Amino acid sequence: MTYQTRVIGAFSLMAAMLLIVGFAQSWSLVLAILNLCLISSIMALGLNMQWGYAGLFNAGVMGFAALGGAAAVIVSVPPVQEAWAAGGGGIMLALIICAATALLVALVYFRLKASDTIRFATITAILVVGFIFYRMLLDPSVDAIEAVEPAKTGFLGGLGMPIIFSWLVGGLFAAGIAWVIGKVALGLRSDYFAIATLGISEIIVAVLKNEDWLTRGVKNVNGLPRPVPYEIEVQQSPFYQGIAESLGVTVVEFSSLFVKLCYSALFLIVLLIIFYLSQKALNAPWGRMMRAIRDNETAANAMGKHVTGRHLQVFILGSAVIGIAGAMLTTLDGQFTPTSYQPLRFTFLVWVMVIVGGSGNNLGSILGGFFIWFFWIEAEPIGLWMMEFITSGMAADNALRLHLIESAPHMRLIMMGVILLLVLRFSARGILPEQNRQSAG
Amino acid sequence: MDLLNALVVLANFIIVPALAYGSQLALGALGVTLVYGILRFSNFAHGETMSAGAMFAILFMWLFQSWGISIAPLPTVLVALIPAMICMIIYLLVCDRLVYRHYRRQKAKPVIFLVASTGLMFFTNGIIRFIIGPDEQRVADGARFVMKAREFKNMTGLNEGLAIKSSQVITVITAIVIVAALFWFLERTKSGKSMRAYSDNENLALLSGINPDRVVMIAWTLTAVLATIAGTLYGLDKSYKPFTYLQLLLPVFASAIVGGLGSPIGAIAGGFVIAFSEVTITYAFKKFLTYLVPESWAPEGLVQLLSTDYKFAVSFAILVVVLIVMPTGIFKGKSL
């Protein structure tokens, strides 16, 4: 089977599965799955840059996705004037002090010519003083902000710009954090890098859960503005009413499908742009250099390639793509819920997508994003059906049968684990294996 | 008198909880370090292994309780540890046979093992939720306290009480016994010595006739025992919730790395370093300081460096500092 038929076959199979769901369950569900498939594909593309091109084990996908989500809030929500008046200045000052402290520490660490003991003593002193000032400024401002209508706002709000800008801003946020973490942890052993990224993602989510002045914490931000029309607008417009009539569906049904389709179109555009750019980069000399570094770091180093520098570059790029996807996800949900960021769902599921799709192959990552998200959603009905089939011989009130049927939703985790292990073992290069130029051309 | 009161406050809120937590982390980190030393990869599934061990212990505890077995005032779950360990040993050996052995034969890169371990993490997590469900389970029965705060006050006549939960005492004692047994095994027995040899220099160990399959088998057995105990003790101390163990992964890894990956003594030291820093930095020192300084200086705020929700940040910060300053950890672990 050639690569081309494989690609066509795999994507047709995916389309067929979506169609089956459409006929068997509902078209609205298909579009909902499709939208999340598109977002998952973008996340997988981002991780594929890091793992597939460069061999970096980023265990912090969740954190970058959450940063993107925070960006959606910060960009789109209108500013809360009372909160800014109450504590905006204090917060800004505190953040400036924070930045100044970090800058001073960096200056001392890199520039001060003195013995290690003196350097670290100075750094500790700067950190302590900076921290005290930071807390002195921050705490009263935070209290003041959170006292402003706590049931409705109680946070600074955002910039009140169209939410679509947040996709870029989310990418920038993620890139910024990736730069910091990459500077610290890249160049260390691969395991250490994995654990460092795991840690930073937990911290990012902890910050988003607890800093109520920023994103309302666990109180969530609801009703984010949309980049697409609202259902009610569609329903009231005579133009769309006409279309709905000619299609033979009710206006309500049409409006819901139409809105979802608008999202799909937006996401598809972003996916295509990122895919095009990734493909370009991968086939450019830059991409060949990345793969050379991945396959033999020592040799690439000997050829004069700056391995850590290139790793930093690709880590930032990949994280930015994940940040963009995170912002898109929050846009689609219309609300920001920090508690929904779970490592299994956001970090390791994306890993399964990349590995199953084919590490190093961009089309593979897209396919993996589709396949795995589809199974993540459909595992529940499949698991339920399997359990009912297995237990069909038992009495209806059998305790074991009830327990098995009740636990069916957890089948999805087991299925994901098994899929990952099977692919890794028997087809380590994934469904669509990486194509190098020699064999492709 | 005020000084004594301050010390009691410190003991009650920092030293006793941190000792128990540190013991749990140390046992967890020992498992990570053993796998790292022998199989040379960071086992991301270790949190779930601990959780699965605790789950088996709870299942057997329910069984024993239904039979009416009780070792009051000690919690029943301690008896259940032994069959739970056996289950976990079998589980890990089967996992090794089905998953890791293939990559070992292929001499795959450590990062491939890492990916495989995330697959097992998914699988184990699903199995746990499937069997016991995602809800919280109470593990402790028997006496809750060794010493209650009120008893301590009556006994000493101080204002402040010192409460010691029985789960904390059991944790620390069990940890000491297990660690002593582990070190005896590693230092004194032939199998233990062959493990250390294999960990230090694989090729040399193979040349001197050490059977690698046996070493790996012993490593998984020890890991299963340690993880079951660590997981159960954590559940006994804080109540068992399946998803908390995934979050325990970060402090456990931080402990192992801070102490030096591959070094058992480092894992123990690392566990206590992480536990004490976490508890100290997230503790509100207001009461403690009020006893020490003159009344007019008494602090208004809580004097809490970080809110308890940022305890990850503490282990992470220590991890980063150690990685920058001494990448091999306190006790000079491996770095490949």
Side-chain angles (χ1 to χ4, degrees):
Chain A
M1 192 161 52
T2 65
Y3 176 68
Q4 266 80 8
T5 48
R6 234 188 149 119
V7 172
I8 295 168
F11 276 96
S12 326
L13 183 68
M14 188 63 233
M17 285 195 295
L18 283 172
L19 287 178
I20 291 172
V21 172
F23 283 113
Q25 289 176 287
S26 87
W27 291 104
S28 183
L29 180 68
V30 171
L31 284 179
I33 295 180
L34 178 71
N35 282 339
L36 280 161
C37 281
L38 289 167
I39 293 177
S40 305
S41 303
I42 297 175
M43 281 193 194
L45 275 179
L47 184 65
N48 184 39
M49 290 179 197
Q50 300 171 340
W51 166 247
Y53 298 9
L56 297 176
F57 193 102
N58 173 10
V61 177
M62 171 180 78
F64 297 111
L67 272 178
V73 172
I74 292 169
V75 167
S76 71
V77 177
V80 181
Q81 303 295 351
E82 299 92 331
W84 273 100
I91 295 270
M92 287 301 131
L93 221 56
L95 291 183
I96 290 170
I97 286 193
C98 195
T101 312
L103 201 71
L104 264 177
V105 167
L107 268 179
V108 170
Y109 184 76
F110 289 111
R111 290 290 150 82
L112 187 70
K113 303 246 181 311
S115 72
D116 276 1
T117 336
I118 296 177
R119 275 202 310 174
F120 281 103
T122 330
I123 287 177
T124 318
I126 295 172
L127 281 178
V128 169
V129 174
F131 187 74
I132 292 171
F133 274 106
Y134 168 74
R135 285 294 293 265
M136 267 168 59
L137 281 164
L138 189 76
D139 288 357
S141 315
V142 166
D143 290 342
I145 290 171
E146 285 171 10
V148 179
E149 281 194 85
K152 260 174 66 194
T153 55
F155 74 131
L156 279 179
L159 303 173
M161 297 205 303
I163 197 163
I164 211 141
F165 286 116
S166 73
W167 299 1
L168 272 180
V169 176
L172 289 176
F173 278 9
I177 294 290
W179 181 76
V180 174
I181 187 76
K183 270 282 177 202
V184 175
L186 280 169
L188 296 169
R189 300 214 12 246
S190 56
D191 306 52
Y192 288 177
F193 179 72
I195 292 153
T197 44
L198 180 78
I200 198 80
S201 73
E202 293 284 3
I203 292 174
I204 291 171
V205 174
V207 168
L208 294 177
K209 273 183 194 163
N210 293 296
E211 297 303 318
D212 288 15
W213 57 271
L214 185 64
T215 54
R216 291 198 82 209
V218 288
K219 287 181 283 184
N220 305 340
V221 183
N222 297 315
L224 293 178
R226 278 185 180 181
V228 299
Y230 285 84
E231 279 88 349
I232 194 82
E233 291 167 19
V234 177
Q235 285 163 26
Q236 280 160 357
S237 140
F239 174 68
Y240 291 119
Q241 282 168 356
I243 299 181
E245 215 165 282
S246 59
L247 286 172
V249 292
T250 63
V251 182
V252 177
E253 206 182 327
F254 173 76
S255 68
S256 128
L257 289 178
F258 178 75
V259 169
K260 286 199 174 98
L261 268 177
C262 287
Y263 274 119
S264 311
L266 281 177
F267 294 162
L268 191 65
I269 292 169
V270 177
L271 175 65
L272 288 178
I273 293 172
I274 292 177
F275 174 66
Y276 173 76
L277 293 176
S278 328
Q279 247 350 55
K280 269 281 194 213
L282 189 62
N283 292 325
W286 181 83
R288 287 200 291 277
M289 172 180 68
M290 291 313 305
R291 278 176 290 167
I293 291 177
R294 176 195 65 191
D295 292 339
N296 193 337
E297 261 182 44
T298 324
N301 203 3
M303 296 293 290
K305 304 298 175 202
H306 184 5
V307 174
T308 316
R310 295 289 83 75
H311 275 171
L312 183 63
Q313 206 174 31
V314 81
F315 180 57
I316 292 175
L317 283 175
S319 301
V321 170
I322 297 168
I324 292 172
M328 289 163 61
L329 181 66
T330 306
T331 309
L332 175 68
D333 289 344
Q335 61 170 348
F336 179 64
T337 31
T339 41
S340 68
Y341 292 99
Q342 300 289 336
L344 278 181
R345 152 75 181 85
F346 277 92
T347 300
F348 297 109
L349 194 65
V350 182
W351 266 95
V352 181
M353 292 171 188
V354 173
I355 304 264
V356 169
S359 320
N361 185 328
N362 289 321
L363 261 183
S365 296
I366 295 179
L367 185 75
F370 269 84
F371 261 132
I372 295 302
W373 184 261
F374 183 83
F375 276 112
W376 184 250
I377 295 296
E378 290 295 320
E380 210 173 314
I382 295 174
L384 199 62
W385 175 81
M386 256 172 62
M387 284 306 149
E388 273 173 355
F389 180 75
I390 293 171
T391 59
S392 54
M394 300 181 192
D397 57 347
N398 185 315
L400 182 65
R401 176 176 181 178
L402 290 178
H403 178 80
L404 283 178
I405 287 178
E406 192 192 332
S407 310
H410 305 305
M411 280 298 287
R412 56 157 65 149
L413 292 164
I414 301 178
M415 258 168 77
M416 285 304 140
V418 171
I419 291 177
L420 177 63
L421 289 172
L422 286 180
V423 169
L424 195 66
R425 170 79 183 258
F426 295 108
S427 162
R429 303 179 67 205
I431 304 174
L432 300 179
E434 182 180 1
Q435 300 292 299
N436 50 34
R437 278 174 75 87
Q438 284 88 338
S439 67
Chain B
M1 204 59 172
D2 277 353
L3 185 67
L4 270 181
N5 272 323
L7 284 179
V8 172
V9 170
L10 213 57
N12 192 23
F13 291 103
I14 295 187
I15 298 174
V16 173
L19 269 179
Y21 181 43
S23 313
Q24 292 148 10
L25 284 186
L27 288 175
L30 273 173
V32 167
T33 260
L34 267 177
V35 173
Y36 188 85
I38 302 296
L39 292 118
R40 299 192 161 77
F41 74 98
S42 305
N43 183 7
F44 266 56
H46 196 75
E48 298 309 324
T49 311
M50 284 163 65
S51 180
M55 176 193 73
F56 279 122
I58 291 173
L59 293 179
F60 281 110
M61 178 187 81
W62 286 341
L63 181 71
F64 292 156
Q65 279 172 343
S66 73
W67 288 348
I69 296 177
S70 150
I71 47 165
L74 293 175
T76 321
V77 79
L78 288 184
V79 193
L81 270 178
I82 294 155
M85 280 177 203
I86 295 169
C87 289
M88 280 314 289
I89 292 171
I90 296 169
Y91 182 70
L92 286 189
L93 288 178
V94 170
C95 285
D96 181 69
R97 172 69 188 75
L98 293 181
V99 179
Y100 296 122
R101 197 180 74 165
H102 172 72
Y103 303 107
R104 213 162 42 241
R105 299 252 156 111
Q106 284 198 326
K107 299 212 181 300
K109 283 196 245 169
V111 78
I112 298 295
F113 282 90
L114 205 66
V115 176
S117 77
T118 59
L120 270 182
M121 178 175 90
F122 259 110
F123 183 75
T124 315
N125 191 300
I127 293 278
I128 292 165
R129 287 172 190 232
F130 195 78
I131 296 179
I132 204 166
D135 304 324
E136 184 171 346
Q137 310 288 349
R138 233 175 67 84
V139 186
D141 57 358
R144 252 174 75 68
F145 286 97
V146 172
M147 176 157 53
K148 286 186 181 151
R150 187 189 301 262
E151 286 169 13
F152 182 84
K153 282 188 207 166
N154 291 341
M155 202 166 71
T156 56
L158 290 172
N159 289 340
E160 291 298 327
L162 175 66
I164 301 177
K165 285 198 283 182
S166 34
S167 62
Q168 291 166 333
V169 178
I170 293 170
T171 300
V172 174
I173 293 176
T174 319
I176 293 171
V177 171
I178 293 298
V179 168
L182 179 72
F183 276 84
W184 174 82
F185 175 78
L186 289 177
E187 301 287 332
R188 295 271 180 253
T189 64
K190 201 155 179 265
S191 309
K193 282 180 189 164
S194 64
M195 279 186 73
R196 286 193 298 137
Y198 187 84
S199 161
D200 277 348
N201 189 333
E202 193 180 336
N203 290 331
L204 211 55
L206 293 178
L207 275 178
S208 43
I210 289 171
N211 178 359
D213 290 332
R214 207 175 102 84
V215 170
V216 168
M217 209 180 88
I218 298 172
W220 282 121
T221 310
L222 291 177
T223 307
V225 169
L226 289 167
T228 309
I229 295 174
T232 311
L233 289 178
Y234 187 81
L236 187 67
D237 201 15
K238 311 234 158 78
S239 95
Y240 174 80
K241 274 177 269 175
F243 67 88
T244 50
Y245 289 84
L246 194 61
Q247 299 176 330
L248 215 52
L249 202 57
L250 182 64
V252 163
F253 267 113
S255 311
I257 292 178
V258 166
L261 262 179
S263 148
I265 188 100
I268 298 166
F272 286 105
V273 168
I274 295 285
F276 271 91
S277 332
E278 236 179 52
V279 178
T280 312
I281 291 178
T282 55
Y283 173 67
F285 280 92
K286 180 182 171 139
K287 212 172 181 185
F288 174 72
L289 289 177
T290 317
Y291 275 115
L292 287 188
V293 297
E295 218 164 285
S296 53
W297 290 10
E300 279 172 33
L302 289 170
V303 205
Q304 184 182 19
L305 287 174
L306 279 177
S307 96
T308 39
D309 303 295
Y310 288 134
K311 52 177 198 263
F312 300 117
V314 179
S315 19
F316 181 74
I318 297 173
L319 184 68
V320 167
V321 169
V322 167
L323 286 183
I324 293 175
V325 182
M326 37 183 175
T328 48
I330 306 172
F331 284 89
K332 296 279 171 276
K334 281 179 195 309
S335 80
L336 289 177

